[in-house]
Amino acid sequence: MSTPEKTYETILVDTRPGTGENALRYGWITLNRPKALNALNDTLMDELGAALLAFDADDGIACIVVTGSEKAFAAGADIAMMQPFDFPNAYRKGLISRNWDTIRQVRKPIIAAVSGFALGGGCEVAMGCDFIIAADNAKFGQPEIKLGIIPGAGGTQRLPRAVGKSKAMDLALTGRMMDAVEAERAGLVSRVVPLADLHAEADKAAQAMCGYSLLALMATKECVNRAYEAPLTEGLLFERRLFHALFSSSDQKEGMGAFLEKRAPHFTHR
């Protein structure tokens, strides 16, 4: 199955080749509301979800990169869109939950390549990805307290898991921004690179994954996410069961055989 070509209003979408003879491709999604610093409105979140699900369903895609502009990954949710809501309408219409949670359905790895502002909802979208590569000009924060509200797309839940209770409390209660160096030191960001190198670093990470077994990539993501959501004993059991299950795959036979024969593996993703 190939990802259908589609023109979107608020995002740019393309596919890029992996490296190596048998490599899969990867998806690249750019948030594209430059005049609004990529503020996250319903249209953008609907389109982001649709593009993510299309790549997830494409057997030729190994992973996905989500990025924004140099100035802003996403400066937050669109306040003008949210301001008119009252509680009954927000609850009945599923504000945030209706389309922001789509990212949780994606089984393939997602890299957030972040430069500039990743604030409020922008920080939450980045945290919804599987890991964050940050440019040295990136700034993260949950400033919702300044608007008389709290984070609503996982900021009070994912942030403490990433950086610990004290740091998360500091950011959420004061509304201050955290730069890329502090974000890496705290554990929110996997690596920090010069702004000029951000997309090249994201490309390298995605291309590396494109050369691996898709089954193993998806199983790894599922197991690491389970570590967030389950006690250690249950997580270890889940990991062990998937570890055992992969011994029934052709890719396991090929990967170990190629290692012993000192050659490059030819994965078929079966």
Side-chain angles (χ1 to χ4, degrees):
M1 178 179 180
S2 61
T3 305
E5 294 294 328
K6 183 175 180 179
T7 301
Y8 295 95
E9 180 184 338
T10 62
I11 62 173
L12 303 174
V13 175
D14 68 291
T15 60
R16 302 184 180 187
T19 55
E21 183 180 352
N22 306 304
L24 296 175
R25 297 170 293 125
Y26 59 101
W28 190 282
I29 302 173
T30 303
L31 309 183
N32 188 40
R33 294 188 71 208
K35 293 182 180 179
L37 294 179
N38 292 333
L40 305 168
N41 62 7
D42 266 346
T43 301
L44 190 153
M45 295 309 298
D46 285 343
E47 292 185 343
L48 175 60
L52 287 169
L53 292 179
F55 281 135
D56 203 39
D58 187 335
D59 292 336
I61 295 293
C63 59
I64 307 157
V65 176
V66 178
T67 193
S69 68
E70 289 189 0
K71 186 178 293 186
F73 176 78
D78 191 317
I79 305 305
M81 179 270 294
M82 291 194 300
Q83 192 274 337
F85 276 89
D86 57 17
F87 171 75
N89 283 328
Y91 183 77
R92 188 173 65 251
K93 294 181 179 179
L95 178 63
I96 300 277
S97 55
R98 182 186 69 79
N99 45 12
W100 289 59
D101 286 346
T102 304
I103 197 168
R104 298 178 61 196
Q105 303 173 31
V106 178
R107 300 177 68 194
K108 294 174 181 176
I110 308 172
I111 302 168
V114 175
S115 54
F117 297 112
L119 305 177
C123 187
E124 289 168 315
V125 168
M127 289 191 291
C129 298
D130 296 306
F131 63 94
I132 301 171
I133 301 175
D136 52 14
N137 75 332
K139 293 187 181 299
F140 300 87
Q142 298 292 160
E144 289 87 350
I145 196 74
K146 297 179 179 181
L147 303 175
I149 59 171
I150 66 171
T156 66
Q157 303 303 303
R158 290 192 178 97
L159 193 60
R161 287 166 167 80
V163 305
K165 176 185 175 182
S166 183
K167 182 78 73 175
M169 285 286 197
D170 178 8
L171 292 167
L173 292 175
T174 70
R176 75 173 181 89
M177 290 187 287
M178 175 169 61
D179 66 20
V181 172
E182 183 181 359
E184 183 184 32
R185 187 170 65 239
L188 178 64
V189 165
S190 67
R191 57 183 112 161
V192 177
V193 300
L195 174 60
D197 298 337
L198 176 63
H199 286 184
E201 287 295 314
D203 279 325
K204 287 179 186 177
Q207 287 166 355
M209 286 188 274
C210 286
Y212 302 144
S213 165
L214 181 57
L215 291 172
L217 289 172
M218 294 169 68
T220 299
K221 171 172 175 168
E222 191 172 6
C223 284
V224 174
N225 281 336
R226 183 59 65 100
Y228 260 179
E229 300 165 3
L232 178 60
T233 300
E234 183 182 337
L236 288 171
L237 178 62
F238 185 81
E239 176 193 71
R240 197 64 43 79
R241 289 295 176 261
L242 280 185
F243 173 75
H244 291 159
L246 287 173
F247 278 77
S248 67
S249 71
S250 298
D251 282 347
Q252 176 267 331
K253 303 297 185 291
E254 172 62 13
M256 292 189 175
F259 177 84
L260 294 173
E261 295 165 14
K262 296 181 172 56
R263 60 175 175 82
H266 177 83
F267 292 123
T268 58
H269 315 291
R270 295 197 298 269

